[in-house]
Every structure is written in C-alpha cells, then in structure tokens.
C-alpha cells in the first residue's frame, strides 16, 4: 500500500494555523511588553519613589516595533527548544528508561504458532520494540525516533519533535492492550505525525499555553501569600506570610495581568486544539498506509476506546501532552488539589467553561473509525 500524503486542504489548514500560532507569538511578546511596563510603573511603590511611574506608563521606555521584530523570532526559537524539553520533562517521572530491562512490561506472545486459547505472557525486551519502530520508520521513510516506554496504565502514545531530535512515547497500558497488527498501526500513526511535519509544530505550539497557564497559576499562588489579598478575598494560605511592600503593587498588577494573559491563554489553547484535531485524520490515513491495514488502526481505536478514560486532567491540560496523544486521555490522575477558596472555585469554573467553550483536542473516535473503515472498503473494493 502506498503511503497516503495529507491532502492539500489539510496542509493549507495546518499552515494557516501555524501562521496563527506565529501571530500569537507576536501577541505574547506584546503582552510581555505591556506587563513589563506596568510592573516598572508599580515598582516605585515598593521604595516609595515615583519618578519612574509616569514614564513607564507612557510606554516609551522602549519602542514596541523593535521589541516585536526581535522578540517574536526569539520566542519561536525558545518554543522549539524548550517546548520539546518540557514534553520530555513531563514524561520523565513515568519513563522506565533505556538502560533498564522492561521487566514489568508483559505482552501477549506474538508468535504466529501460538495455539492456546489464552496466549502466554512473555517479557519483551527493549530492542524488540525498537526493532519494530525501526522497521515501520523505514516504511514511513522517516528518521528512527528515540523510543521511551512510560510506566502508565492508561493506553496511549505520542511523539515530540524538534529539528534533529524525535522521541516516541508508548505507555505500558498501550503495549498490553494491543495485538501485533494494532500496535504496528498505532506506531505508524505516530510516525505519520513525524512524516507530515506537524509533530514539531505541535511540540512548539504547546509552549505558549503552558507558559501563560503557569504564569496565571503563579499569580494565584502569589495572591495566596499576600496578607491583604487573603483578608479581602478570603483565600487559603499561610497565616504568617506576607509580601511586605509588594502587597499593593501585586494587587494592582493582578487585574492587568489577568486581562492581558487570560485571553492569550484561551486563544492559544483554542488554536492549539484545532491544530490537534486537523492533524489526527491525516495521521490516521498515513498510519494505516505505513502499517498496511486501515482495519488494524480501526481495531486499535475500538480497543482503546472500549474502556473510556478520564479526558480532563489539569496537569496534562496545562502541559499540552494530552493534545499530542493518539487519544485525549490523561496519562494519570493528577494529585493536585485546588484549594476550596474563592480563587479555587473561580479556577474550577474557568476550567469547566474552557472545556465547554473551547474546541476538543481530538475528533470523535467513532468518526475516525468510520473514516478508516471507508478506507479499508476502498482497498478491498
């Protein structure tokens, strides 16, 4: 079967969304420009020296245009480097590691000669999996990625990429759940992301929602350490903590920061999820061609969706890992507890609203399965 390339329409949509993401980079630089001037304007309140305030609020300390010209490509460079590192870091706590034997990975014996009703469980060493990936990568005509197995029960997979570096992540749950042909199909799906070039775009694109989301979380944490904010808004926090002269500047800075970064986070996340949705159909078609069987990928999706997993996970939503996965399942349940104060309740309402308003990160699995079945019917017909 010849490997099907993404349609021109799909490529144009990915390019268009990539251009939008570049525009968000420029907006990110502009937001940083505004917040830096506001912070400088509020800084004199710390030392009660007000000479700098008027000049900072006039936004003429540094011209915006050269900041955009220099800052936008710099942010793009940072995205490409640290977006990839961030993805690797989030998987590190689950990574079994290349130097350890995969003693706890039990797969059904894939021998064609097996005749027992229940296949024997056997330990599969790392080279076996790497050889499988290398064989499929040769079919896909892509550089063989590094392979990392994550000690996670949720069946899932994803790839992260930047120029010169590519990593394929597979969970133990995925390896245990799929048979030989289904596993080939899912790996082929991930390799298609590399072949189509969208893996790098997605890895870099995760950086902006991650940074803006963590900035807002950090701002909430600072408010909980503020004595004035705790008294005004009934927030949970250490009773003996205070920010001294930073209290008033923080309270004045917070609404400006939320109104500046909040919309950027929502818009960046929406675009990121739309890009994730578009690329999945192309990767399904490419993965079916690489493995040689649309039916195998269809069967894999049916197997993986037979036992629905939680799709909402605050940590995974922040890091963008969920959008990279073959299915929108969190890798594990987060241990993070949002305090039950006004900020915590506002956080939960915002999360609920985002899940209702923002587009989903993946197409409906039934639609993907139907498309693969149509593809299989075309081949057989």
């Amino acid at each position: 079967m010849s490997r099907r390339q993404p349609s021109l329409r799909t490529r144009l949509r990915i390019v268009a969304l990539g251009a939008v993401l570049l525009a968000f980079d420029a907006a990110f630089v502009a937001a940083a420009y505004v917040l830096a001037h506001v912070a400088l304007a509020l800084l004199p309140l710390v030392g009660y020296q007000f000479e700098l305030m008027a000049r900072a609020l006039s936004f003429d300390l540094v011209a915006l245009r050269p900041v955009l010209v220099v800052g936008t490509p710099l942010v793009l460079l940072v995205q490409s480097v640290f977006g990839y590192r961030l993805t690797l870091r989030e998987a590190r706590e689950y990574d079994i590691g290349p130097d350890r034997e995969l003693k706890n990975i039990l797969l059904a014996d894939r021998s064609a000669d097996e005749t027992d009703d229940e296949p024997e469980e056997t330990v599969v060493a790392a080279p076996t999996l790497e050889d499988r990936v290398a064989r499929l990568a040769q079919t896909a005509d892509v550089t063989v990625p590094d392979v990392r197995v994550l000690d996670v029960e949720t069946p899932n997979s994803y790839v992260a990429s930047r120029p010169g570096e590519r990593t394929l992540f597979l969970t133990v749950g995925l390896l245990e759940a799929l048979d030989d042909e289904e596993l080939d199909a899912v790996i082929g799906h991930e390799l298609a992301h590399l072949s189509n070039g969208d893996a790098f775009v997605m890895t870099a694109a995760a950086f902006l929602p991650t940074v803006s989301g963590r900035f807002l979380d950090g701002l909430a944490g600072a408010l909980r350490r503020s004595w004035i904010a705790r008294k005004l808004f009934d927030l949970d926090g250490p009773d003996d903590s205070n920010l001294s002269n930073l209290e008033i500047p923080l309270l004045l800075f917070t609404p400006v920061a939320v109104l500046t970064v909040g919309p950027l986070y929502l818009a960046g996340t929406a675009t990121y999820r739309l890009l994730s949705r578009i690329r999945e159909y192309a990767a399904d078609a490419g993965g079916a061609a690489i493995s040689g069987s649309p039916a195998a990928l269809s069967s894999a999706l049916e197997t993986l969706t037979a036992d629905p997993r939680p799709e909402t996970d605050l940590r995974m939503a922040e890091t963008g890992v969920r959008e990279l996965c073959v299915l929108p399942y969190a890798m594990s349940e987060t241990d993070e507890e949002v305090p039950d104060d006004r900020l915590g309740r506002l956080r939960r309402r915002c999360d609920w609203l985002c899940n209702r308003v923002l587009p989903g990160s993946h197409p409906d699995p039934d639609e993907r399965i139907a498309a693969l079945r149509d593809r299989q019917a075309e081949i057989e017909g």
Side-chain angles (χ1 to χ4, degrees):
M1 180 189 299
S2 61
R3 186 163 61 87
R4 172 178 285 190
Q5 296 293 333
S7 66
L8 177 60
R9 181 181 179 184
T10 298
R11 288 184 179 275
L12 289 176
R13 291 173 73 181
I14 290 176
V15 169
L17 282 172
V20 172
L21 288 171
L22 183 62
F24 281 131
D25 285 347
F28 178 82
V29 174
Y33 176 86
V34 170
L35 293 179
H37 277 79
V38 172
L40 283 174
L42 296 175
L43 193 60
L45 295 178
V46 177
Y48 305 104
Q49 298 176 355
F50 304 98
E51 294 82 0
L52 184 62
M53 182 178 294
R55 188 179 176 191
L57 289 178
S58 66
F59 293 93
D60 62 354
L61 291 176
V62 180
L64 176 60
R65 180 173 295 180
V67 172
L68 289 176
V69 171
V70 176
T72 301
L74 183 61
V75 170
L76 185 61
L77 176 63
V78 171
Q79 279 181 308
S80 65
V81 174
F82 290 99
Y84 180 78
R85 290 184 181 178
L86 189 63
T87 304
L88 295 183
R89 185 181 306 153
E90 292 300 327
R92 187 174 300 161
E93 64 178 294
Y94 307 112
D95 190 359
I96 290 176
D99 298 327
R100 290 176 53 189
E101 293 183 5
L102 307 184
K103 295 180 180 179
N104 58 334
I105 299 181
L106 299 179
L107 300 178
D109 189 351
R110 304 183 185 279
S111 172
D113 297 329
E114 183 63 56
T115 58
D116 294 340
D117 293 335
E118 295 185 2
E120 178 185 357
E121 289 187 335
T122 59
V123 177
V124 177
T128 302
L129 182 58
E130 291 175 350
D131 290 345
R132 179 185 298 272
V133 173
R135 169 175 56 82
L136 292 168
Q138 184 177 12
T139 303
D141 194 23
V142 298
T143 303
V144 180
D146 292 334
V147 180
R148 291 287 182 268
V149 177
L150 307 182
D151 191 11
V152 175
E153 293 183 2
T154 301
N156 227 329
S157 63
Y158 63 97
V159 287
S161 171
R162 70 178 180 186
E165 295 186 60
R166 299 175 169 191
T167 304
L168 167 65
F169 298 91
L170 303 168
T171 68
V172 170
L174 182 87
L175 299 178
E176 291 178 333
L178 302 182
D179 64 24
D180 193 59
E181 291 185 353
E182 291 172 340
L183 182 58
D184 277 358
V186 170
I187 294 175
H189 171 99
E190 301 301 344
L191 295 176
H193 282 310
L194 296 176
S195 177
N196 295 342
D198 60 72
F200 166 67
V201 176
M202 286 294 294
T203 304
F207 181 79
L208 185 57
T210 299
V211 171
S212 54
R214 292 189 176 184
F215 173 83
L216 294 174
D217 285 343
L219 196 60
L223 287 174
R224 289 192 174 94
R225 292 192 297 272
S226 166
W227 183 88
I228 296 178
R230 291 201 309 275
K231 297 301 180 183
L232 287 177
F233 305 112
D234 190 25
L235 304 180
D236 293 339
D239 294 333
D240 58 345
S241 68
N242 68 81
L243 300 179
S244 187
N245 291 342
L246 293 176
E247 298 268 357
I248 298 301
L250 174 65
L251 293 178
L252 295 175
F253 178 77
T254 296
V256 178
V258 171
L259 292 175
T260 302
V261 179
L264 188 64
Y265 169 77
L266 293 175
T269 301
T271 303
Y272 180 50
R273 291 186 179 183
L274 283 173
L275 180 58
S276 176
R277 289 179 67 90
I278 290 172
R279 74 188 196 127
E280 287 304 318
Y281 284 115
D284 283 346
I290 292 169
S291 65
S293 175
L297 184 54
S298 173
S299 176
L301 292 177
E302 288 180 324
T303 299
L304 298 179
T305 55
D307 180 20
R309 305 287 174 137
E311 296 188 9
T312 301
D313 179 276
L314 295 179
R315 179 183 57 188
M316 288 301 174
E318 290 169 356
T319 61
V321 170
R322 187 179 60 179
E323 283 76 8
L324 296 174
C325 292
V326 65
L327 287 169
Y329 295 158
M331 287 296 175
S332 67
E333 295 184 0
T334 179
D335 294 329
E336 177 185 5
E337 293 185 4
V338 179
D340 190 23
D341 55 18
R342 289 187 178 181
L343 275 181
R345 292 191 290 272
L346 179 61
R347 163 73 177 272
R348 284 189 287 269
R349 292 192 189 101
C350 289
D351 289 335
W352 177 84
L353 184 63
C354 288
N355 287 329
R356 293 293 299 269
V357 174
L358 296 181
S361 60
H362 288 66
D364 187 275
D366 290 337
E367 295 178 2
R368 296 170 65 184
I369 291 170
L372 288 165
R373 286 176 176 171
D374 291 342
R375 174 65 171 153
Q376 184 69 37
E378 290 178 7
I379 297 172
E380 296 176 351

